[in-house]
Amino acid sequence: MAINTYKASAAAVFAAPAGTTPFFNIQGSATKTVRVRAITISGPTLTAVAYLHVLLTKHSAAATGGTPVALTAVPIDANGAAATASAVQVFTAAPTAGTEIGALDAVRILGQATTAAAAGRPPERVELRFDANPLILRGTAQGLCLRFSAAPGSAVTLSVAVEWEE
């Protein structure tokens, strides 16, 4: 049985919803086991420089509502089958979070002030890698989300990318 690898990324920087609801989500597949290998967060900006505490959480039910923006699953091998992971998306308006099982990882990243980009400081880029122990999603109810542990002081714009196997 062949294992196919996929990547998906926000096509542009997006404004994450205010608060602590998910701003990124990937749900499992109805027909295959999904193994998440990496999630990247990059370029967070807000009104004033601030640290952001981002949680990667596992859920037993999908987020609903809000304004989801679907990410295009691109197979690494052009001959690979179409991806079956469901709901690979970012949110620009707050969804209702699904049932959270718990936090799998946490990172503290420096969010630049919107004007800092003109000062020449490179944007923050954090890559969560799970090569040795990929995060397993079985069925469409299981999912992973990124969310802030505390509401940021202002709107946050950022980019997210994900890599997985099926």
Side-chain angles (χ1 to χ4, degrees), residues 25 27 58-64 96-101 140-143 145:
N25 181 74
Q27 291 297 123
K58 190 165 188 178
H59 293 253
S60 63
T64 57
T96 300
T99 305
E100 185 175 307
I101 296 169
T140 58
Q142 289 190 352
C145 292

Side-chain angles (χ1 to χ4, degrees), residues 26-30 32 34 84-87 137-144:
I26 180 171
Q27 291 297 123
S29 165
K32 296 183 179 177
V34 173
T84 64
S86 61
L137 301 175
R138 298 181 193 279
T140 58
Q142 289 190 352
L144 299 173

